[in-house]
Amino acid sequence: MFFHKKDVIHTVNIKEAHPRFAQLLLEQFGGATGELSAALQYWVQSFHVENAGIKDMLQDIAIEEFGHLEMVGKMIEGHTKNVDQTDAYKSTLFAVRGMGPHFLDSQGNAWTANYLNEGGDVVRDLRANIAAEAGARQTYEALIKLAPDEGTKEALVHLLTREISHTKMFMEALNSLGKLDDPFFGNVQPDETVDIYYNLSSNGGKDERGPWNSEPNFRYIADPASQH
């Protein structure tokens, strides 16, 4: 059961409308890294999870993301309200679609369920969610740099902060399953090449080494061509 309380999850104060910035905000409403995508992704994932705690976490975060969608929508509304006769407004997507949010990204592309990343396995889904939060955090950072007023900037900083919080929650959920740093999941056992690192690119004759291609976790094949 859902019910809606007509208070945004975090205050949004906009003193002056900036419709061009509102178009950029559409990225977090109807874009690939936006709040609608996150909310639907986590909500649907929750139905795949048998672990009661992780199911509850996914649903809690999904509902928070719907609240964030409302915040972004309110910001878009505030930045497009009562300015429809201005040149700035007429140069945006809103001149055709009308004021307020739409199921579009900042370039006018329609929202699509292809943005959602869910696959029915809790480990796979939690890892996808960490990537989703990283994408959203990066987009919010770009928007914060362009924010036209302090009220908008403050709201965006709050949204960015919660992306970091959610990332930590997903990481802790993976850790509770013993899968935070274990790449294996599922039932099919890997073959004998699982610990091989193939040196398939060169950097001016110098091959870079690090924990990603060194013992004890990996067998480094310096010249793969010579072994085949």
Side-chain angles (χ1 to χ4, degrees):
M1 178 178 70
F2 289 91
F3 68 91
H4 177 238
K5 186 175 182 180
K6 295 179 176 62
D7 295 321
V8 290
I9 198 168
H10 185 84
T11 303
V12 177
N13 292 313
I14 297 172
K15 293 184 178 179
E16 183 180 354
H18 291 81
R20 291 192 179 113
F21 185 74
Q23 181 166 323
L24 298 179
L25 283 171
L26 284 171
E27 197 67 30
Q28 287 306 97
F29 193 89
T33 65
E35 301 293 352
L36 177 64
S37 299
L40 292 175
Q41 178 168 310
Y42 306 158
W43 184 256
V44 171
Q45 286 175 353
S46 74
F47 294 103
H48 305 157
V49 180
E50 295 182 2
N51 183 297
I54 294 177
K55 177 190 287 285
D56 184 60
M57 177 199 69
L58 286 167
Q59 293 184 345
D60 285 340
I61 297 175
I63 297 301
E64 183 179 357
E65 300 289 26
F66 278 118
H68 292 169
L69 181 70
E70 183 177 27
M71 277 183 66
V72 175
K74 287 284 188 182
M75 281 191 282
I76 295 170
E77 179 186 35
H79 279 297
T80 57
K81 196 172 185 178
N82 300 322
V83 291
D84 57 311
Q85 298 304 309
T86 65
D87 289 339
Y89 184 93
K90 292 175 182 178
S91 69
T92 67
L93 297 169
F94 304 105
V96 176
R97 298 300 291 261
M99 61 162 282
H102 303 282
F103 290 111
L104 305 171
D105 67 12
S106 61
Q107 303 304 304
N109 300 304
W111 183 87
T112 169
N114 290 330
Y115 294 153
L116 307 185
N117 192 346
E118 51 83 21
D121 183 278
V122 62
V123 175
R124 173 236 186 270
D125 282 352
L126 289 170
R127 289 175 177 168
N129 295 351
I130 291 171
E133 295 290 331
R137 194 216 62 80
Q138 184 179 26
T139 304
Y140 279 126
E141 183 163 319
L143 289 169
I144 288 165
K145 292 176 181 177
L146 299 169
D149 61 84
E150 284 303 312
T152 297
K153 182 177 180 180
E154 180 183 332
L156 292 172
V157 169
H158 173 75
L159 291 168
L160 179 148
T161 300
R162 295 306 296 166
E163 307 299 344
I164 297 170
S165 303
H166 296 163
T167 299
K168 181 64 173 175
M169 294 170 196
F170 293 138
M171 292 174 68
E172 291 295 343
L174 277 172
N175 195 39
S176 73
L177 299 172
K179 293 297 181 182
L180 182 59
D181 58 0
D182 178 7
F184 176 78
F185 68 94
N187 300 312
V188 178
Q189 293 297 317
D191 67 22
E192 68 280 358
T193 66
V194 68
D195 63 343
I196 290 178
Y197 182 97
Y198 294 112
N199 179 37
L200 295 171
S201 64
S202 60
N203 184 18
K206 178 185 178 182
D207 295 320
E208 302 293 339
R209 301 299 300 273
W212 55 86
N213 62 11
S214 301
E215 295 180 349
N217 292 320
F218 295 99
R219 290 179 287 152
Y220 184 79
I221 308 300
D223 187 5
S226 67
Q227 298 195 17
H228 293 277

